């Protein structure tokens, strides 16, 4: 079957009509909306001679057996954040399905697998990349048994309701033994490609994360009677650190955000005696990320001393940057340049399932499609139809180039 990018757009619009209630996509993992979307997807798949199965972590696999048993994986995710966009994750899966269709009458040289990862977003239980981390082996057993949603329902119960056993989730890690590469096409979810007027980009890797909570402690006192020079204002310390974040991020070409600030007592007539400030720093380069955090901690301590404050620093999340496979990056670039006149190489601030697969030692890379106004995780999420169609074409070329590269590396069949 010939590649038809317009069919991908039609199917995306079908899925949007199926799962968008007017307030955005409602496909949170393990919800009725997600189950409905998966059934719709399976109906599409079953029109063709593909083998389908769900693994022990809830990932859905669509496979075409090739001339060789080694597997090239392509993937994405049908789940969404609450009131999410129509493209995030879903475009990946449906673009992958269109590529698989081109092999319905011709047996591929190696086995092709399209995977719909379970609970990429982590919206319900707060654990992103659930399915892919089970396959990579990084998902800890204690996480599975400790997670609960906002209503108090446990992940164990939800898995059972979806025909899965929490005791067997980790068995999905065995699947990675046959994988020889993983490719993913995704919307950028950021503004860079649009600012550069570039439709498609090559992803160099995903940024590492340093997320910490600073607690500044001063002295609560009456805001009207305490002169400025005698104050121990916890919020002033935090505010100074927030201002510093911009400079340290620029210095090391990363990003830094103060996303949460809580004051005590939090009234206009009292000087804040306590301020809890949650900050997050991201960088594609591990050394630069380490320097960002070291300088931030040093600056926080300096500010606390100057403002006569006590300081605590509590680590919340640490993730190392992940660099994608250089040869796959080059093949992605070459594929895009056969479709577009220019290309841009960039890192990804958001994490993706590709990050987990790369950490498992499987050669991995990603392609980005320009996002309108850089908006994602929102009903306003959008990309130009022309750019999406170009991405499907470039993605098929990338898959073919990757197969050719893999065949040159794999041992000859006995």
């Amino acid at each position: 079957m010939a590649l038809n990018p317009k069919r991908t757009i039609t199917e995306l619009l079908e899925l949007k009509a199926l799962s968008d209630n007017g307030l955005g996509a409602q496909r949170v993992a393990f919800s009725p909306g997600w189950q409905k979307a998966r059934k719709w997807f399976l109906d599409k798949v079953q029109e063709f001679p593909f083998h389908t199965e769900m693994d022990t972590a809830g990932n859905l696999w669509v496979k075409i057996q090739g001339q060789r048993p080694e597997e090239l994986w392509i993937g994405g995710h049908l789940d969404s954040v609450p009131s999410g966009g129509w493209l995030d994750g879903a475009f990946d899966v449906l673009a992958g399905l269109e590529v698989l269709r081109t092999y319905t009458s011709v047996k591929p040289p190696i086995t092709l697998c399209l995977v719909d990862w379970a609970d990429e977003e982590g919206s319900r239980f707060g654990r992103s990349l659930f399915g892919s981390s089970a396959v990579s082996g990084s998902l800890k057993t204690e996480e599975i048994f400790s997670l609960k949603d906002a209503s108090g329902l446990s992940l164990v119960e939800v898995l059972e309701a979806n025909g899965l056993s929490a005791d067997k989730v980790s068995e999905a890690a065995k699947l990675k033994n046959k994988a020889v590469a993983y490719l993913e096409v995704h919307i950028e979810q950021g503004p860079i490609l649009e600012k550069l007027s570039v439709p498609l980009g090559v992803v160099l890797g995903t940024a590492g994360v340093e997320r910490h909570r600073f607690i500044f402690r001063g002295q609560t006192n009456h805001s009207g009677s305490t002169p400025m020079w005698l104050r121990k204002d916890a919020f002033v310390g935090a505010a100074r650190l927030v201002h510093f974040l911009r400079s340290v991020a620029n210095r090391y070409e990363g990003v830094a955000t103060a996303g949460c600030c809580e004051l005590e007592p939090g009234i206009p007539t009292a000087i804040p005696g306590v301020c809890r400030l949650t900050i997050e720093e991201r960088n594609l380069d591990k050394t630069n990320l380490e320097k960002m955090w070291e300088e931030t901690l040093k600056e926080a301590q300096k500010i606390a001393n100057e403002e006569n404050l006590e300081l605590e620093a509590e680590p919340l999340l640490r993730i190392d940057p992940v660099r994608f496979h250089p040869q796959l990056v080059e093949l992605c670039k070459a594929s895009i340049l056969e479709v577009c006149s220019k290309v841009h190489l960039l890192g990804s601030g958001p994490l993706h399932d590709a990050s987990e697969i790369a950490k498992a030692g499987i050669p991995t890379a990603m392609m980005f499609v320009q996002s309108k106004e850089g908006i994602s995780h929102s009903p306003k999420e959008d990309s130009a139809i022309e750019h999406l169609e170009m991405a499907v074409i470039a993605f098929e070329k990338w898959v073919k180039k990757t197969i050719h590269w893999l065949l040159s590396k794999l041992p000859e069949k006995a």
Side-chain angles (χ1 to χ4, degrees):
M1 181 179 289
L3 188 77
N4 184 357
K6 294 187 183 302
R7 180 165 45 215
T8 301
I9 307 304
T10 299
E11 290 174 341
L12 281 164
L13 291 171
E14 285 180 21
L15 181 59
K16 181 180 180 182
L18 180 75
S19 58
D20 190 321
N21 64 356
L23 299 173
Q26 308 298 331
R27 300 191 303 271
V28 172
F30 305 116
S31 71
W34 177 72
Q35 294 166 339
K36 188 177 179 182
R38 274 201 160 177
K39 182 182 182 304
W40 170 88
F41 176 68
L42 280 170
D43 288 343
K44 295 285 182 185
V45 167
Q46 287 168 359
E47 298 174 12
F48 303 94
F50 302 147
H51 173 72
T52 61
E53 64 179 309
M54 186 166 66
D55 67 28
T56 57
N59 302 306
L60 181 61
W61 297 83
V62 181
K63 182 182 296 189
I64 300 181
Q65 191 64 43
Q67 298 172 31
R68 298 184 61 115
E70 297 92 349
E71 296 175 353
L72 169 59
W73 293 357
I74 57 179
H77 58 97
L78 289 177
D79 74 296
S80 73
V81 297
S83 301
W86 70 299
L87 296 171
D88 179 13
F91 173 68
D92 324 8
V93 174
L94 293 175
L97 176 59
E98 187 58 31
V99 171
L100 255 64
R101 285 185 176 117
T102 65
Y103 289 96
T104 52
S105 58
V106 179
K107 196 171 188 178
I110 65 174
T111 300
L112 289 178
C113 297
L114 169 62
V115 55
D116 166 30
W117 300 110
D119 203 1
E120 190 268 0
E121 300 289 1
S123 300
R124 184 170 178 180
F125 294 97
R127 208 304 180 183
S128 301
L129 313 179
F130 175 79
S132 56
S133 64
V135 170
S136 75
S138 71
L139 182 64
K140 295 180 175 60
T141 303
E142 54 267 29
E143 289 184 272
I144 303 171
F145 287 91
S146 65
L147 293 172
K148 294 185 177 182
D149 66 14
S151 70
L153 202 62
S154 71
L155 175 59
V156 173
E157 294 171 293
V158 171
L159 289 173
E160 288 177 354
N162 283 267
L164 301 167
S165 169
D167 292 312
K168 296 183 178 180
V169 168
S170 61
E171 292 179 13
K174 299 174 184 177
L175 296 170
K176 65 177 178 288
N177 296 332
K178 287 186 179 181
V180 288
Y182 176 75
L183 309 180
E184 186 173 324
V185 59
H186 202 284
I187 59 169
E188 182 193 351
Q189 299 180 286
I192 295 174
L193 295 178
E194 186 178 49
K195 292 295 183 184
L196 297 174
S197 298
V198 177
L200 306 177
V202 183
V203 187
L204 296 169
T206 56
V209 180
E210 287 278 1
R211 188 182 301 164
H212 300 261
R213 180 181 294 116
F214 285 107
I215 304 174
F216 291 90
R217 299 185 187 276
Q219 185 176 57
T220 300
N221 211 335
H222 197 291
S223 62
S225 61
T226 310
M228 301 302 290
W229 58 281
L230 288 178
R231 295 184 178 213
K232 296 181 180 179
D233 190 328
F235 186 40
V236 168
R240 287 182 58 184
L241 185 62
V242 171
H243 185 262
F244 172 80
L245 291 178
R246 177 171 292 188
S247 63
V248 76
N250 287 333
R251 186 156 55 251
Y252 292 106
E253 298 181 329
V255 294
T257 306
C260 182
C261 185
E262 302 169 357
L263 302 179
E264 292 181 13
I267 57 175
T269 55
I271 298 165
V274 178
C275 179
R276 296 178 180 86
L277 180 73
T278 302
I279 68 110
E280 184 181 89
E281 297 175 327
R282 297 191 182 214
N283 203 299
L284 189 61
D285 183 89
K286 184 176 182 180
T287 300
N288 284 348
L289 180 63
E290 291 172 350
K291 289 179 178 178
M292 285 176 68
W293 167 238
E294 288 169 4
E295 291 188 20
T296 300
L297 179 59
K298 184 177 179 180
E299 182 69 14
Q301 293 166 335
K302 174 175 173 286
I303 291 169
N305 290 335
E306 291 174 353
E307 299 292 338
N308 294 314
L309 305 171
E310 295 177 5
L311 177 70
E312 296 175 39
E314 174 188 353
L316 300 177
L317 178 68
R318 279 181 165 153
I319 299 174
D320 284 338
V322 174
R323 284 278 182 172
F324 290 150
H325 194 280
Q327 186 59 43
L328 292 179
V329 165
E330 285 301 312
L331 293 175
C332 182
K333 179 181 176 182
S335 301
I336 290 173
L337 287 173
E338 290 181 14
V339 178
C340 309
S341 60
K342 53 184 177 179
V343 66
H344 180 69
L345 280 66
L346 70 165
S348 173
L351 299 174
H352 295 280
D353 292 306
S355 314
E356 281 295 328
I357 303 308
K359 286 195 293 185
I362 298 168
T364 298
M366 291 183 70
M367 179 188 297
F368 271 170
V369 189
Q370 183 189 119
S371 293
K372 287 186 177 179
E373 299 181 23
I375 294 174
S376 186
H377 283 191
S378 162
K380 294 182 179 179
E381 173 184 282
D382 203 8
S383 292
I385 299 299
E386 177 188 6
H387 295 167
L388 295 171
E389 292 178 353
M390 292 167 73
V392 175
I393 296 169
F395 190 53
E396 187 215 18
K397 291 178 180 293
W398 190 23
V399 169
K400 288 181 175 178
K401 290 180 189 295
T402 300
I403 290 173
H404 180 75
W405 172 69
L406 289 171
L407 291 174
S408 71
K409 283 169 43 49
L410 294 170
E412 292 186 12
K413 290 194 296 182

